[in-house]
Amino acid sequence: MTIAAVTATALAQGAVNPTTALAQLGSKVYSTGPNGEQPASASSVTLTAAEIAKVKAMKATAAIVLHYGGNDWSNAQVDGLKARFTELGINVIAVTDAGFKPEKQVSDLETVSARKPSVIVSIPTDPVATAGAYKKVAAAGIKLVFMDNVPKGLKAGTDYTSVVSSDNYGNGIASAYLMAQALNSKGTIGIIYHSADFFVTKQRYMAFKATIKQFPNIKVVAEQGIGGPDFAGDAEKVANAMLTRNPNLSGIWAVWDVPAEGVLSAARTAGRKDLIVATMDLGKNVALEMAKPNGLIKGLGAQRPYQAGVTEANLAAYALLGKKAPPYVALNALPVTKATLATGWKSVYNQTLPGDVAGVLGQK
């Protein structure tokens, strides 16, 4: 059943129990790929000992070309990629940060390609503006594996090996249920979405809007997009305006953790200690807020970027071996609340909860 059908059924039947709905999320991947591909499980992307030995003997090299770096999500992806590449004997020769600027990413691709890596793992900033540069990479014989997004006109199995993503549609659903749970299924909310043509953030936005309709007593009274690159600053300005125009606003949804940080700043400026904030991606700053006794962030849908990086490295090995790969690989959505913060952090980053977060949570 599609999410539209689920929503229609839920509306016809009346109130939805968000707690029950959240418990059912782990059994299914809701996202399809950028071109409508059905998802394959990350657990299905495996290598035998003999295949690993063959890859090691190749003395292959890899480059990681990011949309923007320095944030928790990108750092975790790179950590997962580097850890698995080390196990596969693949040397990482470059990690680049485009600052979410397509022209910078095109330049990064040209610079990196000149070093002739065996494979490039990348997330396009803009699927149209960067497409030509990625086509040149593929034409040069460099293997391509994508994170989350695919440039327009490139074909899986021909121009690139595969694309790996967390279930962003599922995480959008999770964040809607978490918002509804925190609001006791009633109130007014604002939405801050990503205004760029970016596949994964569009999936989140679409899923949140479709799912929140299941709660007839929750009304969306304001929504606005932000384009970046100052996502926290842009979101703060938008949230300030929303709170000024709607002084009794119950909650705000932000499309990922960095814009959510801007919402938190706006809420503090407005003295709104009661505002409910829901988002996606388990960054450290939002984790600290969630850990507080009366933190504004009550829940979020988390990606699993470390495991995504491991999976992307495995798919790079598939490309080097000429092994057939699924065109789209997805990892299940992960709803995280204060009660599941420690286990959620471990699932997202393959690490224990940072000491300062654990201290706020009362675990130290």
Side-chain angles (χ1 to χ4, degrees), residues 111-142:
T111 301
V112 165
S113 295
R115 299 181 65 182
K116 299 182 179 178
S118 309
V119 61
I120 290 177
V121 181
S122 184
I123 174 169
T125 56
D126 182 299
V128 176
T130 61
Y134 283 109
K135 287 178 181 178
K136 289 180 182 178
V137 170
I142 299 170

Side-chain angles (χ1 to χ4, degrees), residues 67-68 98-108 125-126 130 229:
H67 54 345
Y68 80 119
F100 235 116
K101 297 177 180 177
E103 63 275 13
K104 174 65 166 60
Q105 189 166 53
V106 169
S107 175
D108 290 342
T125 56
D126 182 299
T130 61

Side-chain angles (χ1 to χ4, degrees), residues 98 182 268:
R268 294 181 189 118

Side-chain angles (χ1 to χ4, degrees), residues 268-347:
R268 294 181 189 118
T269 299
R272 287 297 309 275
K273 297 180 180 180
D274 60 332
L275 189 74
I276 303 298
V277 180
T279 188
M280 273 160 287
D281 297 342
L282 185 58
K284 186 176 180 181
N285 290 336
V286 294
L288 281 164
E289 180 67 23
M290 192 184 295
K292 293 177 181 177
N294 296 300
L296 302 188
I297 295 182
K298 306 302 183 184
L300 54 82
Q303 300 191 74
R304 305 170 196 259
Y306 185 93
Q307 189 57 45
V310 171
T311 305
E312 289 149 11
N314 283 337
L315 286 163
Y318 271 48
L320 295 170
L321 292 166
K323 183 176 180 178
K324 184 175 176 58
Y328 174 62
V329 180
L331 297 93
N332 286 80
L334 179 65
V336 179
T337 63
K338 182 176 180 178
T340 61
L341 187 52
T343 55
W345 191 273
K346 180 69 174 177
S347 294

